[in-house]
Amino acid sequence: MSFLPFESGLSPIGGSTCPRGTALLTNSLLNKGTAFTERERDALGLRGLLPPRVFTLEEQVERVLGNLRRKESPLEKYIFLTTLQNRNETLFYRVMQDHTEEMLPLIYTPTVGQACLEYGAIFRRPRGLYISIRERGRVSEILRHWPLHDVRIIVVTDGERILGLGDLGALGMGIPVGKLSLYTACAGLHPAYGLPITLDVGTDNAALRADPHYLGLCQPRVRGTAYDEFVAEFVAAVRSVFPRALLQWEDFGNTNAFRLLQQNRAHVCSFNDDIQGTAAVAGLLASLKETGGKLVEQRLLFLGAGEAGTGIADLYVAAATSAGLSESDARARCWFVDSEGLVVQNRPGRPLAHHKLPYAHAHAPLRTLAEAVEALHPTVLIGVSGQPATFTAPILRRMAELNPRPVIFALSNPTSQAECTAEQAYRETDGRVLFASGSPFPPVTFGGRTYTPGQGNNVYIFPGVGYGALACGAREITDAMFLAAARRLAELVTPEDLALGRIYPSLTRIREVSLELAIAVVAEAKRSGLATIELPADPRAELIARRFEAVYRDYV
Ligand code: NAD
């Protein structure tokens, strides 16, 4: 298996010849714009369709950066970059790779949140497949409309829980599009291998349904049997049309997310990025290098008991049990506060959702996070509630009284939903906090020291995990693979990172990080007998050679 589907410039649209003329200029995977050489212009019918001067890729990058930096708002920059992506993917990924730290907040969180909110208004041209529940019975046919036939990763959403922004229906497409861009920019997956999909089953967001620019079905969400049958048809269609594709479930509401993952994991190689991918356990492991604490002795308190929260807790339990704790003791170290207070056994009111039950311990009910901090004395506080300003000054101060080095992660995205800002976290803890946030915050200067907090974000995890799983043809993506990835990520945090207050490697190293995680995943797949493709004992060189490099190839 090669990760370069059309080396030597052959058409990725199935044919064996390179398209010519305007068909070539409008093929984003092959287009070089003003960088087509004199020979290519003659041989491929381009003469006259381009201005005469030939530019290098480097010169094009400079022009892109100049134009981009002149734009004032992040949303304008997002529109500019996605337009570039739709025109010339090589140039887009060259810019992404060489300027990752600057570009990531534009094509991913936080700007992608704003872009989704306004997807209807900023819509230029579609990217990916929209499959609506009206097309039940025709899902395979629609998948076959995709012009590329060797899809290896599908990121799919139904738009019900987009970041911490709630139900955005069909506007959620920005997330699968963005995640697939990260697969290429961070791990080197060829862009021709990715397919973003939105399953449109309606939206319960009444404001969207009334919005004249809304792109999706203007009806309430379909739920129950009809929904389940639609998703089952989708999974079956993926298996038959794209049998080599790995499926990433993305931003489903939690009533469906856990169920869909459990039901489908065995049928189709898949994972849920929100439940399994959260990089928080890696951040916790790295924090312990600073606090000197032991993993098995932490007390974790989560605000938010949804996909991300219970997913992080499950991974913590896996890590702690492999370090010698029993499963029940490990679970007893994880506590949750949700919208109705502390998650406890026999809580009055609505019955607890299934995914919360393993973490419902015997305790008196408590209403607020502040009460829970007081009662439980957590060493680690993790925000995954999508609720801003919930880590208040008194809560942050109390964490600092209870712990010489409190570990506090405000992971909700986008920035507007973060439980606290980096500045608040450092200020209220006298700079002692080990802090990470889901979306980036600028450096904070406090007490004469400047802290550059890290981004506790799945971007560190899923590109490497997906790339490794594909490279070795993993039959399944297991929790052990995610744990291997989290451990490797923590190992990659350097003393220099820690000195800056960062418990994740710099994003400038994301290609190297994703490669290391891919290697760890390949090793785990081999160990557990799930690899179907034989790779060398040290697969590093092979994985590097297969990566997509954003450089132009000669077509003639
Ligand atoms: P979810 O809908 O599954 O869970 C949200 C949880 O928050 C629910 O348990 C809900 O009861 C709880 N909640 C809501 N209001 C609350 C309140 N006022 N007080 C306490 N709890 C409250 O969503 P999720 O997938 O778990 O995601 C939650 C947040 O985490 C989102 O903002 C998402 O963007 C973020 N997230 C970040 C990363 C990352 O890499 N940083 C990864 C996944 C999710």
Side-chain angles (χ1 to χ4, degrees), residues 129-175:
L129 286 176
Y130 292 83
I131 308 176
S132 93
I133 195 150
R134 283 196 202 149
E135 280 121 21
R136 251 192 301 169
R138 297 177 56 196
V139 177
S140 297
E141 177 197 330
I142 293 170
L143 292 182
R144 288 199 180 88
H145 289 166
W146 187 243
L148 305 171
H149 304 306
D150 191 12
V151 170
R152 303 286 174 87
I153 296 202
I154 292 172
V155 179
V156 62
T157 187
D158 73 356
E160 190 175 3
R161 202 285 282 130
I162 294 299
L163 304 172
L165 301 171
D167 184 350
L168 298 188
L171 306 189
M173 184 58 123
I175 300 295

Side-chain angles (χ1 to χ4, degrees), residues 273-300:
D273 182 41
D274 305 299
I275 299 175
Q276 297 163 286
T278 310
V281 171
L284 174 57
L285 292 170
S287 303
L288 298 178
K289 295 184 196 182
E290 282 289 88
T291 65
K294 291 205 174 82
L295 185 76
V296 295
E297 290 171 359
Q298 302 310 305
R299 277 184 309 283
L300 284 66

Side-chain angles (χ1 to χ4, degrees), residues 108 161 163-165 254 258 273-274 278-279 303-309 337-339 355-356 383-387 390 411-414 417 437-438 456-459:
Y108 190 46
R161 202 285 282 130
L163 304 172
L165 301 171
N254 68 33
F258 291 101
D273 182 41
D274 305 299
T278 310
L303 184 70
E307 296 164 50
V337 171
D338 66 9
S339 51
H355 61 273
K356 300 181 189 177
V384 272
S385 62
Q387 303 298 316
T390 38
L411 297 183
S412 289
N413 292 322
Q417 309 308 112
S437 52
N457 195 290
N458 288 355
V459 66

Side-chain angles (χ1 to χ4, degrees), residues 40 72 75 86 236 269 328 369-370 428 459 476 483 489 495 502 511:
E40 287 168 337
E72 288 188 356
L75 189 62
N86 288 333
C269 184
S328 61
L369 179 66
E428 301 302 341
V459 66
E476 207 185 302
L483 186 53
L489 180 56
R502 191 163 60 206
R511 296 260 298 178

Side-chain angles (χ1 to χ4, degrees), residues 42-377:
D42 279 330
L44 298 168
L46 296 168
R47 189 62 68 187
L49 295 178
L50 292 162
R53 183 163 163 202
V54 176
F55 289 85
T56 64
L57 179 57
E58 292 66 33
E59 288 168 333
Q60 289 180 313
V61 168
E62 283 309 307
R63 183 166 47 219
V64 166
L65 290 175
N67 285 329
L68 180 77
R69 289 171 183 161
R70 266 196 296 280
K71 309 253 172 240
E72 288 188 356
S73 77
L75 189 62
E76 283 175 62
K77 294 183 184 193
Y78 173 91
I79 295 168
F80 176 82
L81 285 170
T82 50
T83 307
L84 172 64
Q85 185 178 21
N86 288 333
R87 190 171 71 240
N88 179 339
E89 303 212 22
T90 310
L91 179 54
F92 171 79
Y93 284 113
R94 187 76 262 152
V95 172
M96 284 287 298
Q97 265 175 244
D98 293 351
H99 302 274
T100 312
E101 256 183 322
E102 181 180 348
M103 299 304 147
L104 225 55
L106 298 175
I107 66 138
Y108 190 46
T109 185
T111 310
V112 72
Q114 185 64 25
C116 286
L117 287 168
E118 303 195 27
Y119 221 63
I122 67 173
F123 183 76
R124 300 294 198 273
R125 54 175 280 189
R127 194 176 174 90
L129 286 176
Y130 292 83
I131 308 176
S132 93
I133 195 150
R134 283 196 202 149
E135 280 121 21
R136 251 192 301 169
R138 297 177 56 196
V139 177
S140 297
E141 177 197 330
I142 293 170
L143 292 182
R144 288 199 180 88
H145 289 166
W146 187 243
L148 305 171
H149 304 306
D150 191 12
V151 170
R152 303 286 174 87
I153 296 202
I154 292 172
V155 179
V156 62
T157 187
D158 73 356
E160 190 175 3
R161 202 285 282 130
I162 294 299
L163 304 172
L165 301 171
D167 184 350
L168 298 188
L171 306 189
M173 184 58 123
I175 300 295
V177 168
K179 295 260 167 164
L180 281 161
S181 301
L182 298 184
Y183 267 111
T184 300
C186 303
L189 182 90
H190 196 290
Y193 281 144
L195 169 54
I197 296 185
T198 287
L199 298 178
D200 187 349
V201 297
T203 175
D204 288 345
N205 184 330
L208 276 188
R209 295 201 304 259
D211 178 350
H213 294 301
Y214 181 57
L215 298 169
L217 292 183
C218 290
Q219 63 178 55
R221 273 184 183 275
V222 173
R223 300 191 184 274
T225 313
Y227 176 92
D228 287 355
E229 286 173 1
F230 178 53
V231 177
E233 181 189 343
F234 166 72
V235 171
V238 165
R239 290 183 63 195
S240 84
V241 180
F242 300 122
R244 300 167 87 176
L246 184 166
L247 201 56
Q248 176 170 330
W249 304 96
E250 188 67 47
D251 285 6
F252 283 73
N254 68 33
T255 47
N256 291 320
F258 291 101
R259 216 165 36 86
L260 292 178
L261 181 65
Q262 285 321 320
Q263 281 169 4
N264 292 298
R265 259 179 117 165
H267 306 304
V268 59
C269 184
S270 62
F271 68 95
N272 181 308
D273 182 41
D274 305 299
I275 299 175
Q276 297 163 286
T278 310
V281 171
L284 174 57
L285 292 170
S287 303
L288 298 178
K289 295 184 196 182
E290 282 289 88
T291 65
K294 291 205 174 82
L295 185 76
V296 295
E297 290 171 359
Q298 302 310 305
R299 277 184 309 283
L300 284 66
L301 178 59
F302 294 83
L303 184 70
E307 296 164 50
T310 53
I312 296 164
D314 287 349
L315 202 57
Y316 168 81
V317 169
T321 46
S322 77
L325 221 55
S326 73
E327 190 176 317
S328 61
D329 285 350
R331 287 200 193 283
R333 296 195 154 273
C334 300
W335 293 82
F336 285 86
V337 171
D338 66 9
S339 51
E340 294 175 29
L342 189 65
V343 172
V344 291
Q345 282 172 13
N346 307 318
R347 189 169 73 176
R350 277 191 299 161
L352 288 175
H354 190 70
H355 61 273
K356 300 181 189 177
L357 292 176
Y359 299 104
H361 309 307
H363 196 285
L366 297 174
R367 269 307 304 163
T368 65
L369 179 66
E371 288 169 0
V373 169
E374 204 46 59
L376 300 167
H377 289 193

